[in-house]
Amino acid sequence: MKNIEILAQEIRDAINAADSIQALDTIRVFAFGKKGIISEQLKSLSSMSSDMRKIAGPVLNSLKKQINGLLTERRKQLRKEIFSAEIAHAKIDVTLPVRQTPAERGRIHPISQVIDEIIAIFSDMRFTIAMGPDIETDYYNFTALNFPQRHPAREMHDTFFFNPDEKGACKLLRTHTSAAQIRTMRKQKPPIRIVIPGKTYRIDSDTTHSPMFHQVEGLVIDKTVTIANMMWVLEHFCKTFFEVPSVKMRFRPSFFPFTEPSMEVDIQCDRSKADIKFGKGKDWLEILGCGMVHPKVLRNCNLDSEEYQGFAWGMGIDRIAMLKYGMPDLRAFFDADIRWLEHYGFRPLDIPTLFDGLTS
Ligand code: DAH
């Protein structure tokens, strides 16, 4: 056992002298590695006579415990020394900017921002928000909205259909947010004053069309709602959204199965310079479809068309976002390119409100 004592002393000295974590690791392997000196001694216990083992066993085990303790202590001490040395040399540049938090670094997608702007404007006019599902039935997307079966207006929508179910009915991806009008009228009693922002889908793709796009639907139902109310609401929205004091609007007769009369709306703009400007100029740009809700649609929602009337409109969100913020290619909206988002995105805390200026 004598040489073990000498060996133990050598190991203790080496631990005290170790001046780095690596040096300490080398000692640990030397003592306790697979072929380590103490490991070997422990292994040899099994070949000893039981008398010898009774003496050597406790000695070796307490040595193992002691050396392990010393290694741990020395490691702690070395770490402290290394840290103090680093601190002593470190220089802190207090002029460096503070690292940005996620709330500062993150960016809100322009579509989300524009939806928030739209909601801010309509909530100020006491509208509430409604939603509907993206996967719709033919009934809500077409039939209840007075699209007759096999009517060409259905084909105009280039619909994505799902495979038929066991009854042969095909679900579809809603082609317009108008489907959610029906769902709202069926569960909410008038007066109704809602906007429905959401995703819509059509088989279409180029620089200004994407198979998935966004619309906002508006619906007002009450006993004395008129076209004049609709024109005022839409004009007020356009002025506020494009942040101009006045804007001329052109209401052109059109056709939608769910409104009568139906109109398409152009707003006045100036396209003579590179940037499009609203509220002045001699050009016109189509931005939405609208009309007075068709009596048949009211009846499909169990509303008495002699008692109630109302107006509705549908507008492409992506398009007005592109126009307002000068973003030329719609497809880039959905490419999930972080560089695009860093350029066109909005700061998370720039929440649009009317009292603070929509885009201040
Ligand atoms: N749903 C129509 C479309 O996607 C837009 C629209 C037009 C909605 C007139 C309406 C409306 O609510 O009254 O083209």
Side-chain angles (χ1 to χ4, degrees):
M1 287 326 264
K2 180 141 189 282
N3 50 359
I4 284 217
E5 256 321 307
I6 295 170
L7 191 68
Q9 192 50 49
E10 274 174 19
I11 295 176
R12 282 193 287 264
D13 291 346
I15 291 175
N16 284 335
D19 58 358
S20 70
I21 302 279
Q22 288 93 314
L24 211 56
D25 269 340
T26 314
I27 300 167
R28 187 183 50 79
V29 173
F30 173 75
F32 297 120
K34 238 181 180 178
K35 295 233 157 60
I37 215 117
I38 297 182
S39 313
E40 291 288 336
Q41 295 280 351
L42 284 164
K43 266 187 244 161
S44 72
L45 282 176
S46 58
S47 56
M48 288 180 190
S49 70
S50 75
D51 287 349
M52 274 296 276
R53 197 161 47 232
K54 271 194 196 129
I55 303 168
V59 173
L60 280 173
N61 276 318
S62 89
L63 184 65
K64 180 180 166 187
K65 220 166 137 192
Q66 186 200 39
I67 301 277
N68 261 332
L70 288 175
L71 279 168
T72 314
E73 263 316 297
R74 183 73 187 132
R75 173 166 288 118
K76 267 195 210 155
Q77 207 180 343
L78 275 173
R79 286 223 174 102
K80 244 192 222 163
E81 283 170 17
I82 293 167
F83 182 67
S84 308
E86 271 174 10
I87 288 275
H89 289 105
K91 289 199 174 62
I92 296 170
D93 183 352
V94 289
T95 64
L96 279 176
V98 179
R99 194 177 298 152
Q100 286 183 314
T101 64
E104 289 153 342
R105 278 199 57 201
R107 287 291 174 268
I108 301 290
H109 195 285
I111 294 293
S112 306
Q113 186 78 9
V114 165
I115 290 178
D116 286 349
E117 290 180 19
I118 294 170
I119 289 174
I121 298 170
F122 284 106
S123 347
D124 192 55
M125 290 191 261
R126 301 293 178 267
F127 278 70
T128 53
I129 301 162
M131 302 293 242
D134 288 16
I135 298 175
E136 264 299 3
T137 61
D138 182 275
Y139 178 77
Y140 283 106
N141 198 77
F142 292 123
T143 310
L145 284 161
N146 193 33
F147 283 79
Q149 295 294 339
R150 282 184 290 282
H151 188 278
R154 286 188 186 230
E155 266 86 79
M156 272 161 48
H157 279 208
D158 296 317
T159 313
F160 286 106
F161 285 101
F162 287 85
N163 290 334
D165 62 16
E166 39 319 325
K167 288 190 201 121
C170 293
K171 287 242 171 88
L172 49 85
L173 289 175
R174 65 175 176 191
T175 58
H176 52 179
T177 40
S178 307
Q181 277 188 27
I182 304 293
R183 289 185 178 272
T184 311
M185 281 190 276
R186 288 194 150 207
K187 60 172 189 258
Q188 191 181 322
K189 275 204 150 334
I192 295 174
R193 211 186 291 184
I194 49 155
V195 280
I196 311 157
K199 291 185 166 61
T200 43
Y201 307 82
R202 288 185 205 176
I203 305 169
D204 214 348
S205 183
D206 58 39
T207 51
T208 53
H209 294 92
S210 139
M212 187 279 294
F213 57 105
H214 298 82
Q215 284 191 339
V216 59
E217 192 81 11
L219 177 70
V220 176
I221 305 283
D222 209 341
K223 290 184 179 163
T224 56
V225 177
T226 65
I227 276 201
N229 299 143
M230 176 178 84
M231 292 166 97
W232 184 87
V233 165
L234 294 175
E235 186 188 328
H236 180 72
F237 168 76
C238 288
K239 278 194 305 200
T240 319
F241 180 76
F242 290 111
E243 296 173 89
V244 290
S246 68
V247 62
K248 282 197 191 122
M249 323 241 319
R250 197 163 70 171
F251 289 77
R252 281 182 291 106
S254 181
F255 171 77
F256 301 104
F258 37 92
T259 40
E260 182 56 40
S262 303
M263 283 152 273
E264 277 174 316
V265 179
D266 303 331
I267 56 168
Q268 172 199 23
C269 61
D270 180 1
R271 277 195 276 199
S272 60
K273 314 248 162 52
D275 275 358
I276 184 161
K277 289 264 179 294
F278 293 95
K280 56 179 179 185
K282 292 198 166 51
D283 300 309
W284 296 99
L285 199 93
E286 185 194 320
I287 59 156
L288 60 91
C290 62
M292 298 304 286
V293 178
H294 199 295
K296 274 196 190 160
V297 173
L298 293 171
R299 289 200 288 274
N300 286 341
C301 300
N302 308 317
L303 291 175
D304 181 351
S305 58
E306 296 295 318
E307 190 180 359
Y308 291 108
Q309 57 186 28
F311 62 85
W313 75 92
M315 184 167 55
I317 294 179
D318 317 72
R319 186 165 155 77
I320 61 169
M322 287 167 82
L323 290 169
K324 182 165 177 179
Y325 293 110
M327 297 173 284
D329 188 346
L330 178 62
R331 287 169 300 193
F333 277 54
F334 311 120
D335 275 350
D337 184 335
I338 192 75
R339 292 163 303 178
W340 184 88
L341 194 61
E342 270 164 8
H343 182 77
Y344 285 114
F346 292 80
R347 289 167 195 281
L349 297 178
D350 286 351
I351 298 161
T353 54
L354 292 187
F355 55 84
D356 202 17
L358 215 47
T359 53
S360 70

